[in-house]
Amino acid sequence: EGVEQVPALGGFLACSNHVSYIDWLLMGIALERPYRMVGDHAYVSGAFRWFFIGGGGIPIASGREDKEVLAEGLQKISEALGQGHVVGLHPEGYMTRTGYLQPIRPGVELIVARSNVPVVPVFLDGMYGSLLSRKYGRRLGKADWSFRRRVLVRFGAAIPPVGFTKELLEEKLVEAGAVREADLGLESRSKHVGPAGGSTKPPEEPAADETGP
């Protein structure tokens, strides 16, 4: 939904909530424009590294973890945006375990300040609770193994770089989630976006091995 709001030309950041291992694929299919995805360098290894880098992916790390990888990643993001490419980013920095939108990390503000490009909020829904999410951790027996799911990819209006803040991005993603709940006839029960019928647990802290800018 809302793909008509996606800029047809020029570089921009496509920022989505992170609920499953294939969010990048779902966003790419719906986007209708080639794009380059930013991903945690810790997961970019082996055969997947060849696939990720070959497809234009950009590895990144937090400053606490690897300052060199962070600097190189930010430079590649700036270059890609400057060349008019679309760059995909999960600004929470890690995949949710509760289904709720987690606090946006400040790295997205740095990217926008450096590149002066608009930000398109992207809300994903329908994959939380599946085998490809982290709802059940390693208890895969409890996960939904169905390969047929109703998935929503909703694009919001582009946020201009002037005056952009991570709080504004979070607000737009929360609004998109509220629209989803209204569509399903549910009452919004949390500031942070949660899955339909989900709990009202507060946002969880990232695990030590989950990093992002």
Side-chain angles (χ1 to χ4, degrees), residues 2 9 14 24 42 46 56 61 66 77-78 96 110 112 130 134 136 139 144 151 170 174-175 177 180 189 201 205 212:
L9 298 172
W24 60 274
D66 194 318
I77 291 171
S78 295
T96 179
L110 175 61
V112 173
S130 73
R134 285 188 171 180
Y136 298 104
R139 297 171 294 169
D144 181 357
V151 176
E170 181 176 314
V174 168
E175 287 177 0
R180 175 62 167 169
R189 292 164 293 175
K201 292 180 180 179
E205 292 296 323

Side-chain angles (χ1 to χ4, degrees), residues 90-157:
H90 298 307
E92 299 161 275
Y94 56 98
M95 193 188 308
T96 179
R97 287 191 173 93
T98 65
Y100 285 81
L101 179 71
Q102 306 306 302
I104 304 299
R105 296 194 176 185
V108 65
E109 294 180 336
L110 175 61
I111 293 171
V112 173
R114 290 179 54 160
S115 303
N116 195 37
V117 295
V119 176
V120 173
V122 186
F123 178 71
L124 304 175
D125 189 38
M127 289 303 297
Y128 182 68
S130 73
L131 183 64
L132 297 172
S133 73
R134 285 188 171 180
K135 180 176 181 178
Y136 298 104
R138 296 180 180 179
R139 297 171 294 169
L140 299 183
K142 292 189 176 184
D144 181 357
W145 286 63
S146 173
F147 290 98
R148 297 186 64 180
R149 302 183 66 88
R150 290 188 63 183
V151 176
L152 171 74
V153 182
R154 174 179 282 127
F155 296 96

